[in-house]
């Protein structure tokens, strides 16, 4: 009887220990995007995790080595990472689980143009997509979701793998302009300006198209996607989402002086039927 009791006690201890370990094992979110321009996205993701902490396991963020955008997409597809911040496209929404809360509230689709200072006068004559399509070539990332937007609107492009290479090619006048989001261009100018002194932000134009940026999750992680979406929605409801957005981007929005620019609207075929993002509260 005593031996049977000891065996039962031992089995109970093993069983209860395994349950305890399962319950308290932290959930690891693996990301490859740790560059400076993802600080807002990372902070927003951690906010979503905090707002769901009572209902889900403890979670922590872990970063891999930095990789190219193309390699990062492959890692997300294969499960080497399970979360990424990406401009959306219909193809990406099929490959991964999109959490359809626009992280940048449409701001990524407001593009200012980096140009070589020698070309300022040429751009003063531009006020339409047609003029851009006939006389100018854009530099653009070969793996970027909105490359098809430029192609569909018949804007000639020279495609390269990384933004760093594109800046240096523009400095060498290999193409005429490099469209960058309002959310990123000012910080990049500050960081790269000393090394690329001939590049300036064109003061009169902006390209505008519908381009939501979402959190994307590997297909094998639907529960994680559900948790992040729930946390982001709670952040919107209590206004902490909006507060964080303005903390990071209000200065850039003011610097852009969008109401004073000539706006060139481009069509994004992927989102013709979707309701536009409400940008009225920040624009």
């Amino acid at each position: 009887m005593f031996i049977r009791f000891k065996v039962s006690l031992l089995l109970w201890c093993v069983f209860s220990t395994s349950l305890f370990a399962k319950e308290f094992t932290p959930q690891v979110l693996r990301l490859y995007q740790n560059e400076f321009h993802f600080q807002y996205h990372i902070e927003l993701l951690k906010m979503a995790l905090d707002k769901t902490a009572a209902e889900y396991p403890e979670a922590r963020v872990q970063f891999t080595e930095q990789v190219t955008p193309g390699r990062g997409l492959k890692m997300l597809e294969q499960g080497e990472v399970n979360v990424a911040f990406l401009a959306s496209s219909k193809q990406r929404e099929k490959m991964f689980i999109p959490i359809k809360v626009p992280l940048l509230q449409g701001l990524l689709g407001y593009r200012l143009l980096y140009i070589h200072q020698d070309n300022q006068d040429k751009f003063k004559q531009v006020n339409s997509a047609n003029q851009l399509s006939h006389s100018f070539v854009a530099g653009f990332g070969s793996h970027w979701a909105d490359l098809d937007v430029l192609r569909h609107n018949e804007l000639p492009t020279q495609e390269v793998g990384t933004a760093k290479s594109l800046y240096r090619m523009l400095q060498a006048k290999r193409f005429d302009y490099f469209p960058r989001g309002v959310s990123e261009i000012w910080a990049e100018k500050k960081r790269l300006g000393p090394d690329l002194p001939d590049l300036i932000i064109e003061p009169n134009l902006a390209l505008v198209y519908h381009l939501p940026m979402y959190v994307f999750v590997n297909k094998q992680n639907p529960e994680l996607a559900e948790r992040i979406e729930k946390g982001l929605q709670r952040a919107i409801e209590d206004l902490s989402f909006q507060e964080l957005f303005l903390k990071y981007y209000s200065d850039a929005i003011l610097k852009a002086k969008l109401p004073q620019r000539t706006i060139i609207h481009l069509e994004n075929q992927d989102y013709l039927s979707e309701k536009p993002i409400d940008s009225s509260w920040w624009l």
Side-chain angles (χ1 to χ4, degrees):
M1 174 72 74
F2 180 70
I3 294 174
R4 188 183 305 162
F5 172 76
K6 288 181 69 177
V7 171
S8 299
L9 181 61
L10 179 61
L11 290 173
W12 182 87
C13 289
V14 171
F15 178 70
S16 61
T17 301
S18 66
L19 285 178
F20 184 86
K22 182 178 180 181
E23 183 179 353
F24 289 93
T25 299
Q27 184 176 28
V28 179
L29 279 68
R30 299 184 303 279
L31 289 82
Y32 67 90
Q33 296 160 308
N34 196 21
E35 298 95 329
F36 76 99
H37 51 271
F38 288 110
Q39 292 176 0
Y40 160 78
H41 308 70
I42 294 164
E43 191 170 342
L44 189 58
L45 176 62
K46 290 178 177 178
M47 180 186 291
L49 297 175
D50 288 344
K51 291 185 183 297
T52 53
E55 304 147 66
Y56 293 89
E58 178 189 350
R60 58 187 175 87
V61 173
Q62 182 182 87
F63 296 100
T64 68
E65 74 282 1
Q66 289 189 13
V67 297
T68 63
R71 173 61 184 147
L73 288 174
K74 184 61 68 175
M75 290 171 70
L76 183 60
E77 184 180 10
Q78 295 175 345
E80 296 176 52
V81 297
N82 48 17
V83 177
F85 313 110
L86 302 170
S88 189
S89 69
K90 294 304 181 189
Q91 182 183 11
R92 289 177 178 180
E93 291 184 19
K94 291 176 182 176
M95 293 175 62
F96 314 116
I97 303 174
I99 300 168
K100 292 200 169 185
V101 177
L103 304 182
L104 291 172
Q105 297 298 299
L107 187 59
L108 188 63
Y110 285 77
R111 297 283 172 137
L112 306 186
L113 310 184
Y114 244 123
I115 66 170
H116 196 286
Q117 62 181 0
D118 292 350
N119 291 329
Q120 288 185 75
D121 289 340
K122 289 171 60 177
F123 279 90
K124 286 180 181 178
Q125 313 304 317
V126 176
N127 56 31
S128 70
N130 186 57
Q131 288 172 298
L132 283 177
S133 68
H134 283 88
S135 304
F136 299 88
V137 175
F140 220 69
S142 56
H143 292 283
W144 295 352
D146 46 338
L147 176 58
D148 283 342
V149 176
L150 273 68
R151 289 173 173 168
H152 172 70
N153 289 272
E154 300 182 349
L155 301 183
T157 59
Q158 184 164 343
E159 298 146 29
V160 181
T162 66
K164 185 176 180 180
S165 298
L166 285 162
Y167 276 112
R168 298 200 176 280
M169 291 172 70
L170 181 60
Q171 174 82 8
K173 299 183 181 180
R174 298 274 296 280
F175 48 80
D176 301 299
Y177 66 101
F178 182 17
R180 298 300 280 161
V182 168
S183 56
E184 57 201 352
I185 195 168
W186 303 104
E188 290 179 356
K189 174 63 175 172
K190 182 178 180 180
R191 185 170 59 93
L192 299 171
D195 296 325
L196 302 169
D198 295 328
L199 301 188
I200 64 169
I201 299 170
E202 198 285 326
N204 302 308
L205 301 172
L207 306 180
V208 175
Y209 47 92
H210 188 52
L211 185 67
M213 181 173 229
Y214 297 144
V215 178
F216 282 86
V217 176
N218 175 272
K219 282 278 193 181
Q220 306 306 314
N221 291 273
E223 185 176 345
L224 175 59
E226 178 186 87
R227 174 179 185 173
I228 295 172
E229 181 172 13
K230 189 180 295 184
L232 291 175
Q233 292 292 354
R234 289 177 182 173
I236 290 171
E237 290 165 8
D238 68 16
L239 301 183
S240 53
F241 185 118
Q242 293 89 327
E243 182 180 356
L244 186 67
F245 175 88
L246 292 173
K247 170 189 167 183
Y248 272 87
Y249 299 122
S250 59
D251 285 348
I253 293 165
L254 291 172
K255 283 182 181 178
K257 298 180 180 178
L258 291 166
Q260 300 174 27
R261 291 177 178 268
T262 297
I263 303 297
I264 298 175
H265 290 278
L266 303 180
E267 186 178 78
N268 185 345
Q269 280 193 309
D270 274 351
Y271 294 97
L272 291 178
S273 60
E274 290 205 1
K275 183 179 179 181
I277 297 168
D278 177 18
S279 56
S280 60
W281 60 270
W282 63 258
L283 185 56

